[in-house]
């Protein structure tokens, strides 16, 4: 028999429940009330009851039955079901076999916020509305929400860096994975999509700004973006028709030279080489063409201006 992966959660059964977990998600506040693994011994019955909150039930091992409303359903390893506020339900373990259950109880209250991300608001709204309308029948844990319980326990038990934040994310993951288990059509709220032209241009320029002092080429910048050098050329042409890759790189290097001329007394030859120019002669040529003066004249003019 393979080991039960959730066995460790029996060692400190109330570990996660000791945490005061409150999550702001969109225009909702999610408060975690129960978060644990429990065992129903063979034949154990939990008679009809309901809760004021949402209760997420998962069966990681064993089998039994659940009555939801007036309908009885079989339960077995890998299944889940949700009981929303006020839903009457009755659980019973198999007469000959115990049944483990992972439980998450959460209260979901509206809490509008002016600073909430609109995309997050849309996704949270859709998820919560779907949870309220899910059918009262068990489903398979197709998206492995149960693993979130173990991840949360291990993060908390080991006091891993950022464990509280990780656990909050895992709680939201459980909610989303449950809706996905019932939802063949997927979520309707579209995630934000990048303008890939602008994104690739900005990424290319940022990479050039970070690496201008070395041998930056069109080919290695394109490689970082996982596109061809021809594609990158087209991107530069579309965003700035009058500026080529070489022209922008030269401008970045020229600005860096100007800063060094103003802030240091290093030789022009040293500055030229440290900021990506082949040599001082080439720098002189670029300076005269772009600024109408030599680097030495620029340095002198800036120092006079500062005085």
């Amino acid at each position: 028999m393979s080991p039960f992966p959730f066995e460790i959660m029996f060692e400190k059964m109330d570990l996660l429940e000791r945490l005061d977990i409150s999550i702001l998600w969109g225009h909702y506040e999610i408060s975690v009330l129960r978060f644990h693994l429990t065992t129903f011994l063979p034949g154990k019955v939990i008679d009809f009851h309901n809760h004021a909150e949402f209760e997420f039930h998962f069966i990681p091992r064993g089998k039994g039955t659940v009555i939801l409303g007036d309908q009885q359903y079989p339960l077995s390893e890998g299944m889940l079901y949700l009981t929303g506020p006020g839903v009457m339900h009755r659980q019973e373990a198999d007469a000959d076999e115990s049944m483990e259950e992972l439980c998450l109880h959460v209260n979901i209250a509206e809490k509008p916020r002016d600073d909430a991300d609109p995309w997050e608001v849309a996704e949270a709204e859709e998820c919560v509305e779907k949870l309220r309308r899910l059918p009262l029948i068990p489903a398979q844990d197709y998206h492995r929400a149960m693993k979130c319980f173990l991840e949360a326990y291990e993060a908390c038990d080991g006091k891993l860096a950022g464990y509280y934040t990780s656990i909050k994310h895992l709680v939201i993951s459980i909610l989303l994975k449950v809706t996905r288990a019932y939802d063949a059509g997927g979520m309707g709220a579209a995630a934000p999509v990048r303008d890939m032209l602008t994104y690739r241009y900005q990424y290319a320029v940022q990479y050039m700004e970070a690496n201008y002092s070395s041998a930056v080429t069109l080919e290695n910048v394109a490689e970082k973006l996982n596109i061809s050098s021809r594609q990158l050329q087209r991107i530069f042409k579309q965003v700035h028709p009058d500026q080529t890759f070489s022209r922008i790189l030269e401008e970045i290097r020229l600005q860096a030279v100007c800063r060094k001329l103003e802030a240091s007394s290093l030789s022009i030859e040293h500055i030229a080489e440290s900021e990506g120019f082949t040599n001082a002669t080439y720098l002189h040529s670029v300076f005269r063409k772009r600024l109408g003066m030599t680097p030495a004249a620029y340095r002198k003019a800036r120092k006079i201006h500062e005085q």
Side-chain angles (χ1 to χ4, degrees):
M1 178 182 292
S2 59
F4 182 47
F6 299 91
E7 191 74 39
I8 190 175
M9 293 184 68
F10 287 126
E11 294 179 8
K12 302 172 185 175
M13 296 185 67
D14 63 348
L15 179 68
L16 293 172
E17 294 180 354
R18 290 177 177 272
L19 296 177
D20 184 5
I21 305 173
S22 182
I23 306 157
L24 292 177
W25 187 34
H27 287 326
Y28 294 98
E29 182 175 29
I30 301 169
S31 302
V32 176
L33 307 177
R34 304 294 310 277
F35 199 1
H36 64 276
L37 172 66
T38 189
T39 297
F40 296 88
L41 296 174
K44 174 72 174 180
V45 174
I46 305 296
D47 212 350
F48 280 104
H49 63 288
N50 68 83
H51 302 281
E53 68 274 7
F54 287 90
E55 183 179 3
F56 297 81
H57 312 255
F58 300 85
I59 312 301
R61 184 171 67 176
K63 60 184 180 179
T65 60
V66 61
I67 297 177
L68 297 168
D70 58 359
Q71 185 68 45
Q72 179 171 299
Y73 300 95
L75 295 173
S76 58
E77 181 177 327
M79 298 186 76
L80 68 89
Y81 62 97
L82 170 66
T83 52
V87 172
M88 297 295 294
H89 55 289
R90 175 186 184 275
Q91 297 124 302
E92 183 175 350
D94 183 79
D96 302 314
E97 183 179 346
S98 63
M99 179 176 71
E100 268 72 48
E101 184 175 278
L102 293 160
C103 301
L104 172 66
H105 294 224
V106 298
N107 185 59
I108 303 177
E110 292 188 13
K111 190 166 186 177
R113 295 180 294 143
D114 293 335
D115 61 344
D117 183 319
W119 295 101
E120 183 182 294
V121 168
E123 291 193 336
E125 183 71 31
E126 185 170 10
C127 178
V128 172
E129 284 305 308
K130 287 190 175 187
L131 290 174
R132 288 171 176 157
R133 298 196 306 268
L134 287 185
L136 292 177
I137 56 174
Q140 290 294 319
D141 184 21
Y142 293 115
H143 299 278
R144 299 180 294 280
M146 281 188 261
K147 291 182 68 176
C148 296
F149 283 81
L150 187 56
E151 285 186 46
Y153 183 93
E154 290 175 338
C156 185
D157 189 39
K159 297 294 186 290
L160 304 182
Y163 71 94
Y164 183 72
T165 299
S166 294
I167 291 168
K168 291 199 292 185
H169 290 164
L170 288 164
V171 169
I172 291 177
S173 289
I174 291 171
L175 271 58
L176 288 168
K177 289 172 184 285
V178 167
T179 63
R180 292 170 188 165
Y182 289 87
D183 190 2
M187 300 292 280
V193 177
R194 281 183 171 131
D195 175 346
M196 291 303 290
L197 178 68
T198 302
Y199 161 70
R200 284 171 170 161
Y201 173 80
Q202 291 176 342
Y203 183 92
V205 172
Q206 288 172 0
Y207 182 83
M208 292 157 69
E209 289 174 340
N211 298 277
Y212 66 84
S213 60
S214 59
V216 179
T217 66
L218 180 73
E219 287 71 25
N220 60 39
V221 176
E223 184 180 4
K224 295 298 179 184
L225 283 162
N226 200 29
I227 60 176
S228 69
S229 54
R230 182 172 295 181
Q231 280 180 284
L232 185 55
Q233 281 180 318
R234 285 200 297 268
I235 288 168
F236 275 91
K237 189 172 183 180
Q238 286 177 271
V239 176
H240 285 292
D242 59 334
Q243 289 191 314
T244 62
F245 172 88
S246 298
R247 174 83 173 190
I248 292 173
L249 180 57
E250 187 178 86
E251 177 65 28
I252 292 169
R253 286 171 169 166
L254 191 59
Q255 290 176 6
V257 167
C258 289
R259 291 193 294 269
K260 279 280 181 70
L261 288 170
E262 294 174 30
S264 76
S265 58
L266 294 169
S267 69
I268 292 169
E269 289 76 12
H270 179 90
I271 292 174
E273 293 178 8
S274 69
E275 304 309 309
F277 285 93
T278 309
N279 50 51
T281 302
Y282 178 54
L283 175 59
H284 274 79
S285 173
V286 172
F287 237 84
R288 284 185 175 279
K289 186 192 304 181
R290 300 288 293 276
L291 299 178
M293 65 180 77
T294 65
Y298 176 87
R299 171 180 268 171
K300 184 177 181 180
R302 296 301 297 176
K303 288 190 180 299
I304 292 172
H305 178 73
E306 289 173 5
Q307 293 174 355

